[in-house]
Amino acid sequence: MSGDMLAVYRHDAHKFVRQSHAQASETYAGVRVNERVPFGADGDAAALSRPVGEPDTTVETHTNHRRLSLCTGTTQNLDGVNVDDAMHGLVTERDAERAHEQWLASDVAGWFNESVYYPYTSLKYHTLLVAALVRAYEEGSTFADLRLVVDPPESVVPHRTVFAGDEFALRITPESPKRPRIRLGDTPSRSWAGAWSRLPEHPLGTDDDAWAMVLDANLRRIQSWSTALQYVEDFERWSA
Amino acid sequence: MTWIQQVCWRLEMDYLGHPYYVSGNAIYHALKQVLPADQRTRIHASHGMFAPGQFGAFPEWHSLSGSRPALGATLPEVTTYDDLWLHRHPEQPWVLDSRPRDAVNTHDIRTQSGQPAFAHEMVFGRSAESRKTTWTTSWFVHAYLHADDPDVLPIEEEALDGLQFGGQRNYGYGTTRLKATQMVDLDALGYGRLRGADAYRLELVTPFVLRSDYPGTNDVDIPWWWTVETTHLRQREEEIVEGPETYHCGTVDHGQVVRYGGDRPVVTAKNAIRRVGAHSKYGFGEIRVCPIESE
């Protein structure tokens, strides 16, 4: 099981180094990378964040794995950043739970997109979504069993937590904890706005905080899961 | 005949107002400035929904099909009940996937006096190498009016043009231009899709007011025809601003979905277009009835 989870955190290593999947190396720094993820979870996670079918270029001037930010409209400036170092930690960690924690906390993973065709998506949150799906599927759950659960910020559940911010955390799980939660639906689709809009409680101060209301307003407009989760992270920093 | 007047405005300047929508209250008070007294008191204004002026394709539930340039900036013909909802969901389901739909459909935010303002237009595809392929998209506001007295409508185009919404209006913020308006007779629409389903769901398009500080308003419970416990519904505070006074309201937040517990879905649908509950005159309590398709 731990091997499956480590494979998740290593499955898109080629996107950091601008290799296509077909040409991707099998190993990186002595560990196996770019392996197929079990249970079809990679495809299901992709369906949460991108249109299905043959991809189309959506931003003609942008055809690389650097993520475009919904907050700034541009990519992160990588001058002076050692991407190799950051990637090394994310990909070569041998303890699966620590790998999950590293991805949750990583800035660099969020500076890349999950598909060059959809440059506003996030490699960081795509990978965390794949992890939550693999975790659920390997236990025998189906997609239709899954829920989005709002947790306190310090509550990180290994492989299930898909977002951990300053104000709250989000987890995808087949369990029904006594926390605000909403079913994801029968099949994976770009259902972020629908799920977020229907949560029985929101973890934002929307009664009196104009910035929280603006964040909430935009979260109700976004369909892609990885784009939305990355937007919450970007917004927290950008408006701070 | 039961008329509503659909209105589409284009934002000409950045907007510093309610972020979920231009409130019906704001639209009502902007109109009050320009309408004669006998007309203005009889007007009811919906909340105004933001839509990008983008290419789009009609959703499968719309009576029209195919794609259309600048669908977010137009008022297509309305012949069925479902057609009314084309621009009224924040997701704007008609935005095409062949463009970066989530970037197109989220507001760019600018800071003005420490407060967030929405940009009135956005530029995409800007890069150092190829400036030629950038494109710009403007934001539009979609609302509809109805009146106690049928003779009051339509409001003339001159009165609808140049209205301002939101804060800092003295500096030009929230200036709009009228893009399009059209009359729709609710009694003449097709309600066929609402007949014969086993079950229905209600989409809360705008918040439903449970309690309000506004003088003369009574606390209410959720309507009997919603099959849900109040405790299972997310609530949010709203405000009604009238001159120097601000009145607080407790609402069931919009965007939520409940099961329909009544047995007259077409009657409910027709009533809920013109909204239900307190402050319905100002946009609250707008509900869409949807059939639950059997498997």
Side-chain angles (χ1 to χ4, degrees):
Chain A
M1 272 200 187
S2 166
D4 282 350
M5 294 315 302
L6 280 174
V8 168
Y9 300 114
R10 297 168 176 175
H11 86 280
D12 271 340
H14 62 281
K15 291 180 182 170
F16 287 110
V17 289
R18 301 182 184 186
Q19 291 173 328
S20 72
H21 191 75
Q23 298 166 330
S25 314
E26 290 184 3
T27 60
Y28 170 87
V31 300
R32 290 187 68 80
V33 292
N34 303 323
E35 289 183 287
R36 182 180 287 273
V37 171
F39 313 112
D42 193 15
D44 284 1
L48 288 172
S49 300
R50 299 175 242 161
V52 292
E54 279 300 302
D56 274 329
T57 298
T58 55
V59 182
E60 286 179 9
T61 51
H62 192 86
T63 50
N64 61 52
H65 272 298
R66 303 272 301 283
R67 181 179 62 84
L68 287 174
S69 162
L70 281 188
C71 282
T72 64
T74 60
T75 56
Q76 175 72 32
N77 182 354
L78 295 185
D79 290 352
V81 176
N82 192 329
V83 173
D84 275 349
D85 268 3
M87 175 188 168
H88 192 272
L90 292 168
V91 172
T92 62
E93 173 60 56
R94 287 167 192 274
D95 179 280
E97 288 192 17
R98 280 206 295 272
H100 173 247
E101 288 169 8
Q102 283 200 43
W103 275 86
L104 266 184
S106 174
D107 291 333
V108 173
W111 296 346
F112 294 83
N113 59 53
E114 61 176 274
S115 161
V116 295
Y117 300 102
Y118 305 103
Y120 292 89
T121 58
S122 164
L123 179 59
K124 171 177 177 175
Y125 289 101
H126 167 69
T127 302
L128 290 163
L129 290 164
V130 176
L133 296 183
V134 169
R135 186 58 158 182
Y137 294 165
E138 71 183 1
E139 293 169 342
S141 299
T142 66
F143 186 85
D145 299 328
L146 297 178
R147 290 163 174 81
L148 172 68
V149 176
V150 182
D151 283 323
E154 68 282 4
S155 170
V156 169
V157 182
H159 312 304
R160 296 206 202 280
T161 298
V162 295
F163 172 85
D166 300 337
E167 306 292 329
F168 61 93
L170 297 171
R171 142 174 66 137
I172 288 179
T173 177
E175 296 150 3
S176 298
K178 286 194 166 58
R179 300 284 314 162
R181 61 177 193 271
I182 191 79
R183 284 192 60 228
L184 297 193
D186 293 337
T187 54
S189 66
R190 286 172 292 152
S191 57
W192 166 265
W196 175 259
S197 300
R198 293 171 193 185
L199 272 170
E201 280 180 49
H202 274 166
L204 300 173
T206 51
D207 286 342
D208 47 22
D209 179 345
W211 291 94
M213 289 169 78
V214 162
L215 171 60
D216 182 23
N218 268 344
L219 287 176
R220 295 173 192 230
R221 310 184 74 89
I222 300 172
Q223 291 186 337
S224 159
W225 278 73
S226 79
T227 303
L229 294 171
Q230 186 70 56
Y231 185 62
V232 183
E233 178 184 319
D234 287 2
F235 194 94
E236 277 187 351
R237 293 190 189 174
W238 180 77
S239 65
Chain B
M1 288 188 283
T2 310
W3 294 101
I4 63 170
Q5 182 175 4
Q6 293 184 316
V7 188
C8 171
W9 289 284
R10 178 176 144 127
L11 268 183
E12 298 285 308
M13 282 280 289
D14 291 359
Y15 164 83
L16 258 168
H18 200 303
Y20 299 102
Y21 27 67
V22 176
S23 73
N25 191 41
I27 294 171
Y28 178 78
H29 282 96
L31 276 173
K32 255 176 83 171
Q33 315 282 327
V34 293
L35 294 180
D38 59 332
Q39 216 176 10
R40 67 190 184 214
T41 54
R42 298 193 171 101
I43 291 288
H44 301 241
S46 77
H47 287 344
M49 302 303 189
F50 295 106
Q54 274 287 308
F55 219 97
F58 290 100
E60 46 79 26
W61 42 260
H62 200 284
S63 66
L64 297 169
S65 59
S67 56
R68 193 174 278 196
L71 188 53
T74 58
L75 290 175
E77 188 186 2
V78 175
T79 54
T80 69
Y81 169 72
D82 284 311
D83 295 351
L84 289 169
W85 308 98
L86 181 65
H87 295 114
R88 301 205 64 74
H89 294 278
E91 268 186 84
Q92 300 296 0
W94 50 268
V95 178
L96 293 182
D97 287 336
S98 56
R99 289 226 164 142
R101 68 142 9 255
D102 289 333
V104 164
N105 191 42
T106 47
H107 298 281
D108 269 6
I109 295 155
R110 298 171 181 169
T111 304
Q112 172 64 28
S113 310
Q115 291 294 306
F118 286 164
H120 69 288
E121 63 178 23
M122 305 191 290
V123 181
F124 292 92
R126 186 178 272 159
S127 76
E129 303 82 45
S130 50
R131 291 187 180 278
K132 283 183 197 156
T133 51
T134 61
W135 81 92
T136 303
T137 187
S138 301
W139 282 94
F140 293 80
V141 177
H142 288 257
Y144 58 93
L145 310 169
H146 70 274
D148 300 327
D149 175 351
D151 293 337
V152 169
L153 297 182
I155 304 289
E156 292 187 0
E157 294 193 3
E158 295 75 47
L160 294 169
D161 190 36
L163 300 184
Q164 271 187 286
F165 307 122
Q168 308 240 12
R169 295 193 290 277
N170 289 345
Y171 297 95
Y173 280 84
T175 300
T176 62
R177 285 260 96 87
L178 179 67
K179 182 66 170 54
T181 182
Q182 69 180 4
M183 296 292 287
V184 175
D185 177 8
L186 299 181
D187 295 328
L189 298 180
Y191 292 85
R193 232 169 65 92
L194 287 183
R195 294 196 172 92
D198 295 333
Y200 300 86
R201 67 172 192 271
L202 305 170
E203 296 179 358
L204 309 190
V205 180
T206 67
F208 177 85
V209 177
L210 294 170
R211 58 190 178 281
S212 169
D213 294 347
Y214 195 87
T217 334
N218 296 322
D219 289 2
V220 296
D221 203 350
I222 59 170
W224 63 267
W225 39 275
W226 298 11
T227 310
V228 66
E229 299 291 326
T230 310
T231 52
H232 292 166
L233 290 170
R234 187 179 71 244
Q235 299 195 18
R236 189 167 57 77
E237 291 288 315
E238 277 271 0
E239 292 175 347
I240 297 276
V241 181
E242 213 169 72
E245 302 291 336
T246 298
Y247 303 99
H248 293 275
C249 310
T251 74
V252 177
D253 196 9
H254 65 292
Q256 298 180 89
V257 173
V258 300
R259 290 282 279 225
Y260 179 54
D263 57 3
R264 296 193 301 165
V266 174
V267 173
T268 301
K270 279 188 183 178
N271 289 337
I273 296 165
R274 285 173 295 160
R275 301 180 296 278
V276 294
H279 300 315
S280 59
K281 187 176 174 73
Y282 305 122
F284 291 95
E286 179 180 332
I287 294 167
R288 179 182 181 182
V289 183
C290 295
I292 297 175
E293 313 286 355
S294 43
E295 293 291 315

